[in-house]
Structure formats: structure tokens, C-alpha cells
Amino acid sequence: MSGGVDSSAVAAMLVQSGFPVVGLTMQLWNQRRLPELDRDGTRGQRCCSLDDVYDAKRVAQHLGMPHYVVNYEQRFEETVVQPFVEDYLAGRTPIPCTLCNNHVKFDPLLVTSRQIGAGRLATGHYARIRRDETTGRYELLRAVDGAKDQTYFLFGLTQEQMSRTDFPLGELNKIAVREIAREAALPVAEKPESQEICFVPSGTYVQFIEAYLGERGEAIPQEEGDLVMTSGEVIGRHHGVHHYTIGQRKGLGIAAGRPLYVVELDHTANRVVVGDDGELRSESCDVHDVNWISVAVLEAPVRATVKIRHRHEPAAATVEPIGATSARVKFDAPQRAITPGQAAVFYTGDIVLGGGWIR
């Protein structure tokens, strides 16, 4: 229970169905850390804030169900926050919500639920799970509400995790979920959604990285380097690779007379490479640490549609296996801003074939 309307509506649905339900809220990040980042008072407006914990408890009390807060701060920092910082410093663009799903929400939370005697874990994610009776494998499917679908962030789910997990909102849209919350008179029925990363206020990830390193007594990377064209021509200086992301146009500090975009972050040579929009487009990418879902392992090339970021329209491609946990994606048409550190998730229709991290 995050304290938001989605997981609260799920709790109401399960209680109304007669199930014995226990609410668990994860304490992931000490919101009092790095107070210098809270200049605009947004600390309480982020996902997983202390106010959200109180909201979850209020919902549980309203529904007459037990509620517990489970402290996963150390695991969250080790498996989500530290990799987030390391990835940016290495010129990659991480997805902390996927890391949280992979290493926190569907790992220790399932263990905790079993320890308190719960047979299943239900969450407010917009996705669907079903079992293929022919193969015996559990499948992950897109939500009916395509605008809310969250399967892109859930590609790391294992068969064992899916066998014990329910996504009651997978068949619903947001309007229906709001109505369920209103009909149950939940105190969060009109609560707005949070879009921020829970430990990064106002999306200012560069300031977070520098404050986090400063808190740990580690050197803050401020090493300048060359800003170069794809031809190798030096056209300026950058202020640290972690200040840039693939596809970035604004904030380059150069006047070239035409739009230029970041097309590569070369951490080894400490260079930021820029080019025209056409140079942002690639026909293929390699993906590592692939988790196959609908199949045990991919043994031959397969046609699929592939998402390379959350808001990306899945593009037609051929996915070729490279060993058991790597793959090469060859798109029918070049795709814009394929970014190392982001995920590539493979779909066959509504079914998630698998997914992994863009190398």
C-alpha cells in the first residue's frame, strides 16, 4: 500500500470480496536526508513520503484491516539508489522504478508477506498475469488500459513471483478505479498521482547525485571534458558526463546554428558526443541480463514489438538470442535515442516475451 488511490482501491476490492487482507507499506527512503534539496517544499509531495505512509494507514483503518510498515531502507539504497548514482556517473540512464520492482517490491516484500501468513501479494500495478495451461508458465500481459500499462517496469518478474502475485487493476481503467475508491469512501479517493522519483525531489537528479556523494564524503565529479561532433570536431566543453542524457538538446551551452542533440556519452574518454537528429537513430541494440517470461529461454530469432522506454511506441523488430540472457534487437526501422541503461521490453501482442537492459 503506497498511500495512493490505486493500491488503496485494490485493498477495498479485496476486503469487499471477503478476503482476509493485511496492508504492508514499504519505508524505502529517509525523506529527512539531504535537506538542502528541499528548497521548494516538495518533499511531502513525492511518492513514498511520510504523508503517503499515513494515508495508507488511514485507508487500512477505514477498511478495518491490519496495517504494517516494513523498513527496507538499506536494501533500497543498496539495490536502487547506489546503482542509480553509479549508472549516471558511467554515462547510462537508469530506471529506478524497475530496479525497485526487481529487487524490493517483488522480492523481500513477498518474503515478508509469507512470514505474516499471507498466501498472495496484491498490488496496484496496471498489468495482468495469467497461466498458460499448455506450457505451464505464467505470462505477463499488458493492462487493458493502455495509457496506464506498467508492464515496461515489470519485465524482471520471475515465475515464482508471478505465481503468488495479483494485479486486480489490470482489467480496469483509471476512471473505474477512482469510482471504486469513491464508492468505498476512501480518504485518498481524490488524491492526485505522484510522478516524481521518490528519492529525487522535483526531478533534479544531478543535484541529488552531487548531494548524495557529498553526504558519503565521496568526490563530486566536476571534471570538464570535450563536447565533440560525431566527426570528432571539438566544439565546446562539458561540465561532467552525468549532466547529460541521450537525446538531450537544451543546456548544451553551444550555438551551432542548427539543433544538436546528445548522441553518445563516452565515459571512458570523458566526452559528450553531439550530432544531428538523424544521428540519434539506430537500427539495433544489444540487451543484457534478459529475463524471459513467456518462454524459459529464447532458442531462435522471433518477431516482436519492442519498447525502449516507457513512453515509446513499441516498434516492430526481430529479437535474436545471444546466449541464455542476452539478445540483439534489429528494428525494422531506425529508432530514436536508444539509451544505455534503459530497458528494452519485448512483446508478442499483449504478452511480454521478456526484457532486459540496453547495453
Side-chain angles (χ1 to χ4, degrees):
M1 298 183 68
S2 67
V5 66
D6 292 330
S7 58
S8 299
V10 167
M13 293 166 64
L14 295 173
V15 168
Q16 291 165 5
S17 297
F19 289 102
V21 185
V22 176
L24 295 178
T25 297
M26 297 181 296
Q27 170 62 30
L28 299 177
W29 179 253
N30 182 351
Q31 302 287 348
R32 295 182 178 88
R33 289 177 65 176
L34 311 179
E36 65 271 28
L37 297 179
D38 190 35
R39 299 188 184 96
D40 57 358
T42 61
R43 183 173 301 275
Q45 300 171 21
R46 283 179 274 154
C47 164
C48 304
S49 70
L50 197 58
D51 287 342
D52 291 323
V53 175
Y54 289 142
D55 283 343
K57 188 169 290 293
R58 289 168 60 209
V59 169
Q61 290 172 343
H62 175 76
L63 295 173
M65 53 185 274
H67 176 263
Y68 303 100
V69 178
V70 289
N71 191 320
Y72 294 148
E73 282 188 27
Q74 181 176 348
R75 186 180 181 95
F76 183 77
E77 183 160 2
E78 291 173 352
T79 62
V80 179
V81 178
Q82 291 177 9
F84 174 88
V85 173
E86 292 165 1
D87 275 351
Y88 266 116
L89 295 181
R92 296 184 293 270
T93 305
I95 314 176
C97 294
T98 298
L99 291 174
C100 186
N101 285 332
N102 288 357
H103 300 294
V104 184
K105 289 183 181 176
F106 295 97
D107 196 356
L109 192 60
L110 270 167
V111 172
T112 300
S113 68
R114 180 181 284 128
Q115 289 172 340
I116 65 172
R120 303 189 64 77
L121 175 69
T123 77
H125 287 93
Y126 286 83
R128 293 179 288 163
I129 293 174
R130 75 180 180 195
R131 188 173 185 270
D132 186 320
E133 298 300 331
T134 302
T135 65
R137 294 187 66 82
Y138 287 90
E139 296 177 329
L140 179 66
L141 291 84
R142 296 184 220 251
V144 169
D145 185 348
K148 296 295 296 179
D149 175 60
Q150 292 175 292
T151 51
Y152 179 78
F153 301 108
L154 296 167
F155 73 84
L157 287 175
T158 67
Q159 289 292 300
E160 195 278 334
Q161 289 167 346
M162 286 192 292
S163 73
R164 298 184 54 229
T165 299
D166 292 320
F167 295 139
L169 304 187
E171 303 284 345
L172 304 175
N173 60 33
K174 188 71 178 193
I175 295 174
V177 172
R178 285 278 186 194
E179 190 56 35
I180 289 170
R182 293 184 184 114
E183 290 178 355
L186 299 183
V188 298
E190 308 302 331
K191 185 175 180 178
E193 292 187 81
S194 172
Q195 301 295 334
E196 302 288 352
I197 299 172
C198 62
F199 57 92
V200 180
S202 303
T204 53
Y205 75 89
V206 173
Q207 291 92 326
F208 172 83
I209 290 170
E210 295 179 350
Y212 180 76
L213 292 175
E215 180 193 60
R216 293 164 62 89
E218 299 179 16
I220 299 174
Q222 295 288 359
E223 183 178 358
E224 292 190 353
D226 288 334
L227 193 71
V228 305
M229 297 290 293
T230 51
S231 63
E233 176 190 358
V234 178
I235 60 172
R237 301 284 286 174
H238 70 75
H239 304 292
V241 170
H242 66 290
H243 286 263
Y244 304 86
T245 57
I246 301 295
Q248 179 177 332
R249 175 182 173 184
K250 297 181 179 179
L252 300 183
I254 53 174
R258 68 183 193 278
L260 292 177
Y261 304 85
V262 175
V263 300
E264 181 186 353
L265 298 172
D266 188 343
H267 175 260
T268 303
N270 192 29
R271 300 188 311 172
V272 174
V273 183
V274 300
D276 298 318
D277 181 78
E279 295 175 287
L280 264 179
R281 300 177 187 274
S282 304
E283 295 180 345
S284 66
C285 65
D286 286 355
V287 183
H288 67 97
D289 291 341
V290 174
N291 179 55
W292 301 110
I293 298 178
S294 62
V295 296
V297 64
L298 190 66
E299 297 179 345
V302 66
R303 293 292 294 169
T305 56
V306 180
K307 290 187 73 166
I308 56 172
R309 54 187 165 270
H310 176 43
R311 296 300 183 189
H312 177 244
E313 183 66 28
T318 298
V319 180
E320 300 177 350
I322 307 174
T325 59
S326 295
R328 178 162 294 141
V329 180
K330 295 183 177 179
F331 292 100
D332 291 7
Q335 299 299 302
R336 190 177 188 276
I338 301 177
T339 304
Q342 294 283 286
V345 180
F346 322 133
Y347 295 85
T348 54
D350 281 343
I351 299 173
V352 178
L353 175 66
W357 301 101
I358 298 172
R359 192 186 300 280

